[in-house]
Amino acid sequence: MSLSNLTLPVAISAVMAVVPLAHHAPVADTSPSAASAAACKGAGTCYVDVSVAQIWETPEKVRTVDAKALTNPVDIRGWFAAMAHDINLRRDVPGETQALYGGRVTVVDTTTKDGVLWDKVVVHGQPTPRNTAGYPGWLPDRQLTKLRKKAPSGTTVERVTGPTARGYASRQALAAGAPSKGGTEYSYNTEFAVKPVAGAPFIVEARANNGTPIYFRRDDLAKVPTSGVTGDDVVAEARKFLGLEYLWSGTAGFGYDCSGLTSQVYSALGITIPRDSQPQFDAGGGAAPAGSAEGERITSPSDLRPGDIAGFGSSTSNVTHVGIYVGRNDKGEPMMINSPRTGESVREEPLANRPFVGATRFIAP
């Protein structure tokens, strides 16, 4: 994602009239924390309390079509469906990033729009030169909670490993639910405190923000690597998303933009890199923003190694797209995995399709 590409429409002021203050309860999200959230209400440190929170530029720019992305529980797939009839609606999403369930934010300002409290936040774990603390933007207060109970003893930190995974409020609901329905659908890289379930080796118990249990299939979650990550690991993670539709601002397994894909793949492997395209490139030239790993600049396609983040644009100071280098195909062409643009899906394609300006290597050979 490149900030230079933003062309956002003037929002319709009536949007919040269709999103009442009371929590909605769409089938897409039935998490226990969503039902009993302790609203943030401007508290300094809060946590995302929906499966995916869209981080908006300003409340004034939110559109009527965005209603399903503003509730708690949130209905991300319903939001996508509402935009499906018009590609411009997805191209012009008036936001620049997303935050995953349980993610920590710092509230720096509040405002009320049409009777709804909004919080201006910085999202931690998404380095950017725009703010040393994290990525800035706005979201409805009802999508945050100030309650984050300490994980009980015997738990380990694990993250969702597939594009999405469903968590259930009980073991019985998990056993009865088909993988494609019921429960709450959480994104790739969402983090939980997890412990095994006695007598049920194929189930694990995670903890919601408020401490209540959420049950997942054992193979839906795994520990984040602490060492030994390779470029081939990066490629393998990126390949999980082949065919996933592009979403401007997307940092979740429901839809990624280009740098949302690269940053989340690295995050899932325990390496924090910048959120956006230009800062990802600049991190290879000694200009990594606060909180980001430092990288190494690669200037020639012939020197690329799998896992390197290739940058594209008109110059090294105007990098508008990134992709993950995967190696050469049987024709000898350098190839990458990338999330191309609105209306297209994550795919593997030649680097030569775009104007290559260099790359950043975050993993030492």
Side-chain angles (χ1 to χ4, degrees):
M1 179 170 119
S2 170
L3 298 179
S4 63
N5 285 348
L6 284 173
T7 56
L8 299 174
V10 176
I12 304 170
S13 61
V15 59
M16 298 313 299
V18 300
V19 190
L21 188 58
H23 288 184
H24 288 218
V27 174
D29 189 342
T30 56
S31 65
S33 66
S36 58
C40 182
K41 295 184 179 177
T45 298
C46 290
Y47 303 89
V48 176
D49 203 51
V50 292
S51 58
V52 181
Q54 186 71 25
I55 307 300
W56 309 92
E57 280 194 50
T58 68
E60 290 74 22
K61 288 187 175 181
V62 176
R63 309 159 301 177
T64 301
V65 74
D66 300 321
K68 291 181 181 293
L70 303 174
T71 54
N72 183 347
V74 73
D75 185 4
I76 291 298
R77 293 205 183 276
W79 179 46
F80 287 2
M83 296 187 289
H85 68 284
D86 186 347
I87 193 172
N88 292 323
L89 292 174
R90 293 191 73 166
R91 179 183 292 118
D92 296 332
V93 171
E96 299 165 1
T97 195
Q98 296 173 326
L100 304 181
Y101 180 83
R104 182 169 65 94
V105 304
T106 296
V107 179
V108 297
D109 196 5
T110 61
T111 191
T112 299
K113 173 69 173 172
D114 296 329
V116 175
L117 180 64
W118 285 76
D119 298 321
K120 185 176 184 179
V121 302
V122 290
V123 179
H124 297 280
Q126 297 190 20
T128 173
R130 299 172 62 189
N131 190 302
T132 57
Y135 212 96
W138 291 83
L139 77 166
D141 183 83
R142 62 180 169 225
Q143 292 190 331
L144 295 175
T145 178
K146 58 189 173 187
L147 179 64
R148 177 74 165 181
K149 288 197 173 180
K150 184 178 179 180
S153 61
T155 60
T156 58
V157 175
E158 301 189 17
R159 297 184 187 180
V160 174
T161 58
T164 64
R166 291 185 180 271
Y168 295 81
S170 70
R171 293 169 56 179
Q172 294 76 13
L174 186 153
S180 62
K181 63 191 296 185
T184 297
E185 191 175 13
Y186 294 96
S187 168
Y188 175 77
N189 201 34
T190 303
E191 184 174 284
F192 292 96
V194 174
K195 68 176 184 179
V197 175
F202 302 108
I203 298 175
V204 292
E205 180 183 300
R207 293 287 165 163
N209 287 327
N210 66 0
T212 57
I214 307 174
Y215 295 91
F216 288 92
R217 292 172 176 81
R218 169 66 279 178
D219 57 3
D220 284 340
L221 300 169
K223 295 179 182 178
V224 177
T226 57
S227 63
V229 174
T230 68
D232 287 336
D233 294 330
V234 175
V235 172
E237 289 296 302
R239 282 189 168 136
K240 293 179 179 180
F241 302 100
L242 291 174
L244 183 70
E245 192 171 354
Y246 177 100
L247 176 70
W248 170 263
S249 77
T251 60
F254 299 89
Y256 289 111
D257 62 26
C258 64
S259 56
L261 174 64
T262 54
S263 62
Q264 287 297 301
V265 162
Y266 267 86
S267 175
L269 293 170
I271 302 170
T272 301
I273 68 172
R275 164 63 180 90
D276 291 328
S277 301
Q278 184 71 55
Q280 287 181 13
F281 182 82
D282 292 342
S292 170
E294 297 283 348
E296 174 189 354
R297 168 67 62 248
I298 308 299
T299 59
S300 171
S302 63
D303 294 329
L304 290 171
R305 294 181 179 140
D308 291 348
I309 295 182
F312 305 89
S314 60
S315 70
T316 57
S317 61
N318 186 33
V319 176
T320 58
H321 193 80
V322 288
I324 294 173
Y325 179 70
V326 301
R328 293 178 180 269
N329 63 13
D330 54 7
K331 298 179 181 179
E333 299 174 297
M335 302 291 289
M336 66 172 171
I337 295 171
N338 76 317
S339 189
R341 59 182 63 86
T342 303
E344 299 182 7
S345 301
V346 177
R347 66 193 185 202
E348 192 166 328
E349 65 179 0
L351 262 69
N353 288 359
R354 294 177 180 267
F356 178 81
V357 295
T360 300
R361 178 171 297 154
F362 288 103
I363 297 174

